Amino acid sequence: MTVAVYLPSEEKTHWWVEMLQGLLPGWDIASIEDIKDRAAVKHAVVWRPRPGDLATFPHLEVIVSIGAGIDHVLADPELPADVPIIRTVGDDLTQRMREYVALHVLRHHRDMPRQLQAQAEKDWHAIVVPVAPNRTVGVMGLGNLGAAAAETLSGLGFATRGWSKSEKTIQGVETYAGAGTLDAFLSGCEILVNLLPLTDATTGILKADLFGKLAPGACVINCARGGHLVDDDLLAALKSGHIKQATLDVFHIEPLPTDHPFWDHPAITVTPHVASQIDAATGGRLIAANLKSFAETGTCPDMADAARGY
Ligand code: OXD
């Protein structure tokens, strides 16, 4: 079985190649750069593949995304048609996202940016905020990561809402389904967490019109994809004060260009796409298990649906 591995960093690619070689003895696993016989490649394990690379493997049977999202694979205009895609999800990824969302929601809920500013000014300024049950938080996207985030927020006591394309039931979470319910979901929402997949329908969804429907002074956390956000609309909403703070983990261009206004904005926290990074040890085990299952049965539990985009 020849497996071609590609990540934008050469160092990381080698790390993953070694990890998978250890987990799949007898399989021929190499970096895309080191593949001699392109016709022998049946499996590609990739993160942000270079456009056109996957099309050079005429007998490709499956593509594995090193991550929960598959948008980075679907973005390849020369992506070979009808090659199934496997996502990489799993408990670690979900746990990391729970932690990131809890951290940033609590930070906005307790107004930590303002509290830190008071400390910088040596100002003994006690900020009193409502208790969590009186704070409405909303999670957009209720896939594995979004559902886990919503569950965690509900567990912390927040009045938690969730919005998704199709009906979902999550204990302790008031769920809304479909475009027709978006306004009701947004109305009164004070902290919004975006965990939607990036599809044609969700690109640019975090825009002026949506921000305007949130409660005045709301906070926005984007830990899905940069393509969900209209950057200038967020800057305008922050300027007007309708949005108070934002935490952004994902960007249109990554790494975020050093001259981008988000870096220096006093009301924006930038994190470098770390909300829920896969580590090679756990991710390697998941990918090896999925590849084995796919090789033996033609499927695995984490098959993505390319037509849906996730
Ligand atoms: C993912 C990500 O898709 O880290 O898993 O963004």
Side-chain angles (χ1 to χ4, degrees), residues 127-267:
I127 297 171
V128 181
V129 299
V131 288
N134 293 335
R135 178 79 81 192
T136 302
V137 302
V139 179
M140 296 176 81
L142 298 174
N144 301 47
L145 300 179
E151 224 175 60
T152 302
L153 295 172
S154 161
L156 285 168
F158 287 104
T160 309
R161 299 175 180 172
W163 181 78
S164 55
K165 191 170 155 191
S166 54
E167 300 273 350
K168 296 276 161 64
T169 307
I170 304 168
Q171 206 188 341
V173 179
E174 190 185 343
T175 53
Y176 297 72
T181 66
L182 185 57
D183 287 5
F185 162 79
L186 295 169
S187 165
C189 201
E190 298 171 271
I191 303 177
L192 181 73
V193 179
N194 177 41
L195 271 166
L196 285 165
L198 187 68
T199 64
D200 288 348
T202 65
T203 296
I205 192 167
L206 301 178
K207 59 178 191 240
D209 164 60
L210 178 143
F211 296 144
K213 291 174 182 155
L214 295 169
C219 298
V220 173
I221 300 172
N222 187 18
C223 35
R225 288 291 181 258
H228 288 121
L229 178 66
V230 180
D231 292 5
D232 287 345
D233 287 7
L234 176 64
L235 291 169
L238 286 166
K239 192 164 181 194
S240 76
H242 188 72
I243 299 292
K244 186 162 89 178
Q245 290 275 333
T247 296
L248 307 175
D249 186 51
V250 286
F251 305 91
H252 286 268
I253 301 175
E254 294 180 8
L256 184 64
T258 50
D259 60 351
H260 196 288
F262 287 170
W263 277 116
D264 301 321
H265 199 294

Side-chain angles (χ1 to χ4, degrees), residues 47 67-69 93 224-225 273 276:
W47 177 251
L93 210 70
R225 288 291 181 258
H273 201 143
S276 177

Side-chain angles (χ1 to χ4, degrees), residues 244-301:
K244 186 162 89 178
Q245 290 275 333
T247 296
L248 307 175
D249 186 51
V250 286
F251 305 91
H252 286 268
I253 301 175
E254 294 180 8
L256 184 64
T258 50
D259 60 351
H260 196 288
F262 287 170
W263 277 116
D264 301 321
H265 199 294
I268 295 180
T269 299
V270 168
T271 58
H273 201 143
V274 289
S276 177
Q277 275 201 333
I278 254 174
D279 64 86
T282 325
R285 276 196 296 279
L286 289 168
I287 289 174
N290 279 337
L291 280 174
K292 271 191 206 159
S293 163
F294 188 86
E296 282 159 18
T297 66
T299 189
C300 75

